[in-house]
Amino acid sequence: MRHRLDLAEAMLCERAHLSNIDGIRQEVMDEFEIVLTQMPYVGGAASRMSDFFMRLMGFMAISRVLRRHGVSLPVIGEIERETYKAQLLTVPEAERLASGRQFMSSENQTLLREQATKSHQKEFSEDFVYDFVEPGPGDNFEFGINYKACGFCKFAARHGDKEILPNICGLDFDAYATRGIHLERTQTLAGGANHCNFRFSRLPSD
């Protein structure tokens, strides 16, 4: 979180027109403490979704504080997405691309199928529920995931964060692109659809 705030500092001044940056940093860290106590348990290390919560919940804290200071939702989304991308790019390229290859591997797809089936057991009420999607004739993706229930949507509904939720969804594209993966998604639960349609393919290498 402190690294994110370092990366965001110039944008907070130039785009959000905030001046007391030290005060904003402290507010965000205080809000982050609150968010951590609110974060649901969805199975710990045994659940792939625990990592999503840990990586992205901090942006809930940033969004809450910036909204209190009157920053518009589009500007918040822009600052958060650029900050997240900058942070992701601090990881060496070889490491990021290796992670992307692992995600797209047949072994990981097998694991995703198993976890998707398990998600329908709804062991943890605040967790995600999703289906693995195989490509059909004419499809140009390698595999997909349809999220039928979203942990972030449940969190936002419970804690009054619905208006900032779409900004959290927007972080997904850079999270995958920096690992060499193209994400196509045309609808989200946060946007009122009955599922989020994630479709994954490999980005062409340079």
Side-chain angles (χ1 to χ4, degrees):
M1 279 297 291
R2 291 187 177 88
H3 184 210
R4 284 176 186 170
L5 290 169
D6 289 343
L7 293 168
E9 186 167 322
M11 288 183 278
L12 292 174
C13 295
E14 296 162 11
R15 302 188 201 178
H17 309 296
L18 298 170
S19 54
N20 181 16
I21 300 302
D22 287 342
I24 296 293
R25 291 173 72 100
Q26 189 57 54
E27 278 188 62
V28 170
M29 294 309 295
D30 290 345
E31 191 66 39
F32 186 42
E33 291 289 338
I34 295 169
V35 167
L36 288 176
T37 67
Q38 295 170 336
M39 189 166 71
Y41 180 76
V42 294
S47 167
R48 62 182 284 265
M49 306 317 299
S50 295
D51 186 59
F52 284 80
F53 275 122
M54 290 189 289
R55 286 175 185 271
L56 300 182
M57 274 303 190
F59 288 105
M60 286 286 191
I62 295 172
S63 294
R64 288 177 182 177
V65 171
L66 295 185
R67 279 307 277 155
R68 280 186 217 136
H69 284 268
V71 183
S72 70
L73 291 170
V75 170
I76 293 172
E78 188 179 287
I79 290 171
E80 290 182 335
R81 187 163 173 178
E82 290 188 34
T83 299
Y84 192 40
K85 183 177 181 180
Q87 188 174 42
L88 292 167
L89 289 175
T90 62
V91 176
E93 182 182 38
E95 189 177 323
R96 286 187 278 109
L97 296 180
S99 171
R101 288 192 296 272
Q102 191 280 328
F103 179 78
M104 299 299 292
S105 70
S106 58
E107 292 83 4
N108 191 54
Q109 290 184 47
T110 298
L111 180 63
L112 287 170
R113 288 186 190 92
E114 294 169 357
Q115 291 187 333
T117 300
K118 186 179 178 183
S119 76
H120 284 269
Q121 297 172 8
K122 301 179 183 178
E123 183 179 358
F124 303 101
S125 62
E126 302 303 304
D127 203 353
F128 296 72
V129 178
Y130 51 99
D131 294 325
F132 186 91
V133 179
E134 307 280 1
D139 284 332
N140 59 356
F141 62 90
E142 292 189 42
F143 68 92
I145 297 175
N146 284 346
Y147 286 95
K148 303 294 186 69
C150 166
F152 288 106
C153 292
K154 295 172 187 177
F155 180 94
R158 174 168 293 187
H159 299 290
D161 295 310
K162 279 190 173 182
E163 69 170 4
I164 62 180
L165 187 58
N167 288 341
I168 305 300
C169 303
L171 300 170
D172 292 326
F173 293 94
D174 289 309
Y176 288 105
T178 54
R179 291 186 285 160
I181 300 166
H182 172 66
L183 166 64
E184 184 175 343
R185 188 181 64 201
T186 59
Q187 63 184 46
T188 62
L189 288 159
N194 64 0
H195 67 277
C196 305
N197 60 342
F198 285 64
R199 301 292 181 267
F200 301 106
S201 54
R202 293 167 213 258
L203 285 171
S205 57
D206 292 336

